[in-house]
Amino acid sequence: DKVLYMYGGSKGTKWFSDVQALDVTTCQWQKLEMKGVAPSRAYHTCSFFRKEGLVFGGIFPEPDPEPDGSSNDLYIFSLSEQNWYKPVVTGDLPCPRSGHSAARLGHHLFILGGWDYPSFFDDLFVLDLELMDFKKAAVTGTGPCARTWHSMTVLPDRRLLVYGGYSGDVALNDAFILDTENMAWSSVRSDAPLVMLPARVGHSVTASPEAEDGSSQLLVCGGGDNDGKFFS
């Protein structure tokens, strides 16, 4: 389907729990009517597997004067059944967090980092979407430091690219690649074009389809430097 789905978010004191669908052919938006109880979330992740949207973590509104809380819940909305449900998950559940990243490879969902004030995380979890079982990943090599508002992008050959984000002190422009076959991290060279871009948070990175020669291009869009400057 040539459809882009958008769920949730917040603006000021207003919170959203709706699912919107954009037909990229006609550029027409449609609000999907879903049964069940939809959570209100912002700074969450939403990944797709077998026509279902998997919403993990994020912040949710607390009654005043309490601050917004972080979540480690997994909710699913089914496009075929047009309903929300909360699955039973087992294993090493990540602690509550927001501003993390998530990427799906096959039937595995990878979740990295994020924060729950005042703590920043560098841990990596893998959710088996067939067993609905979480495991904290055992990795080798030098991986990314604790961060939030970074990006994680699927590359060819079952690799994941982590770029940028915020460490709690500064915006970052470093990049790391995880080989998911052997769960080994490697850092991207400091003279690589991606790493030479201005440090940024809250951006997106998309990889183009793999070309015949095996190459793939990266599209980096937006973000800010967490000091008042925004990129377009």
Side-chain angles (χ1 to χ4, degrees), residues 57-153:
I59 59 173
F60 56 90
E62 293 274 25
D64 290 335
E66 296 294 324
D68 299 332
S70 291
S71 168
N72 63 347
D73 291 328
L74 177 68
Y75 284 89
I76 295 178
F77 62 88
S78 169
L79 296 177
S80 58
E81 300 296 328
Q82 294 285 288
N83 73 319
W84 281 94
Y85 68 96
K86 188 177 180 182
V88 175
V89 294
T90 59
D92 307 317
L93 193 66
C95 64
R97 64 191 62 205
S98 67
H100 51 284
S101 61
R104 182 184 65 83
L105 274 173
H107 65 275
H108 292 104
L109 182 67
F110 293 78
I111 296 172
L112 173 73
W115 77 316
D116 183 19
Y117 182 83
S119 300
F120 287 75
F121 307 115
D122 64 354
D123 46 7
L124 176 68
F125 291 84
V126 183
L127 174 63
D128 187 316
L129 296 172
E130 295 183 335
L131 302 176
M132 299 309 288
D133 184 74
F134 268 109
K135 281 187 170 52
K136 186 174 182 178
V139 294
T140 60
T142 301
C145 66
R147 65 189 61 205
T148 186
W149 305 327
H150 52 282
S151 61
M152 182 158 63
T153 308

Side-chain angles (χ1 to χ4, degrees), residues 147 161-164 173-177 186-189 194-195:
R147 65 189 61 205
L161 170 72
V162 173
Y163 169 66
N173 66 342
D174 53 359
F176 300 83
I177 291 177
S186 60
S187 59
V188 176
R189 299 191 325 267
L194 177 65
V195 177

